[in-house]
Amino acid sequence: MREVYQEQLGDLAEELASMSTMVGTAMERATKALLEADLTLAEQVIEEDVHVDEARARAEEQAFGLLALQAPVAGDLRTVISTIHAAEDLERMGDLALHVAKAARRRHPQPVLPEPVQDYFAEMGRVAVDLCARAAAVIRSRDIEAARDLEAADDAVDDLHRHLFTVMMRPDWSHGVAAAVDVTLLGRFYERFADHAVAVGRRVVFTVTGSMPTS
């Protein structure tokens, strides 16, 4: 029975890792749609968001099943509870990728981003996708040092986000208020995406150590 139980916990971790890969792919495609005004790619991200929602539902169903049937304690209980919270974080990451794709669709065939900020978003997208790959690896390995390292990548996104405001405040910004609003909202989506990835890593640290990191 114990072997079956551990296998179920492993399946739960794999569901989360797959979700992380899924939302990373969504953000990669959404960023490409944003930068290239690719309507087909934007529509793909929008249509496939339901798969992220379904994955969260599966993870939660498995987790609540373990709570009800196995009455886990100590580390196993932390694993189950952390899974429920991490699944929520990952679903929100999928929603943020969805928002990016919807922005690309809304402005099509016009590009959403003025040329001066495109490189910033390309880099934020790259870091966001890398965070998802690293989060998936952390979920599988339960490596707390790798989990804590996610903070550095999040700091890079925060720096890029701050630089966007510097660009928009320059005297030579000639793209108007509407573009500035789009850039502000989109920058916030990427910043929040990275924050949720870090939250997933913190939940892994909590699972292993019993203490939630505070910074």
Side-chain angles (χ1 to χ4, degrees):
M1 288 295 294
R2 184 67 184 174
E3 289 180 4
V4 172
Y5 179 43
Q6 290 301 317
E7 183 177 332
Q8 289 172 325
L9 288 175
D11 290 344
L12 203 50
E14 189 57 37
E15 187 74 68
L16 281 186
S18 296
M19 275 188 77
S20 188
T21 300
M22 195 182 304
V23 298
T25 298
M27 184 55 95
E28 182 176 31
R29 291 172 177 168
T31 301
K32 185 175 176 65
L34 188 69
L35 293 170
E36 300 179 7
D38 188 326
L39 180 61
T40 300
L41 207 50
E43 292 284 8
Q44 183 180 4
V45 174
I46 293 165
E47 291 171 4
E48 293 183 355
D49 180 63
V50 66
H51 300 316
V52 178
D53 298 338
E54 291 169 349
R56 178 188 177 179
R58 285 194 303 272
E60 289 186 340
E61 183 178 2
Q62 292 175 45
F64 286 125
L66 287 172
L67 285 175
L69 299 175
Q70 302 290 348
V73 296
D76 290 347
L77 179 60
R78 292 198 302 270
T79 297
V80 175
I81 296 300
S82 294
T83 293
I84 295 169
H85 289 297
E88 180 182 3
D89 284 311
L90 290 163
E91 186 193 21
R92 289 181 178 177
M93 291 164 73
D95 289 341
L96 291 162
L98 175 68
H99 294 334
V100 173
K102 284 184 174 179
R105 182 177 69 176
R106 184 174 64 251
R107 295 298 188 192
H108 185 81
Q110 300 302 318
V112 181
L113 300 173
E115 188 277 332
V117 298
Q118 288 180 4
D119 287 347
Y120 290 94
F121 280 93
E123 181 61 11
M124 283 194 292
R126 185 196 67 76
V127 175
V129 173
D130 179 62
L131 271 168
C132 288
R134 292 166 64 181
V138 163
I139 291 165
R140 291 186 174 107
S141 69
R142 293 162 59 100
D143 183 333
I144 61 173
E145 291 306 317
R148 289 173 174 141
D149 286 345
L150 296 177
E151 301 270 1
D154 178 50
D155 289 343
V157 173
D158 290 341
D159 287 343
L160 289 162
H161 184 236
R162 283 192 292 270
H163 279 298
L164 290 175
F165 291 98
T166 301
V167 173
M168 290 186 290
M169 293 298 292
R170 288 175 185 163
D172 60 351
W173 177 263
S174 60
H175 303 283
V177 174
V181 170
D182 282 340
V183 169
T184 300
L185 287 174
L186 286 162
R188 180 62 174 162
F189 295 155
Y190 283 88
E191 181 192 34
R192 292 299 300 144
F193 188 96
D195 288 344
H196 283 296
V198 170
V200 171
R202 288 177 175 175
R203 298 193 193 285
V204 171
V205 174
F206 170 71
T207 296
V208 175
T209 67
S211 299
M212 180 67 80
T214 58
S215 61

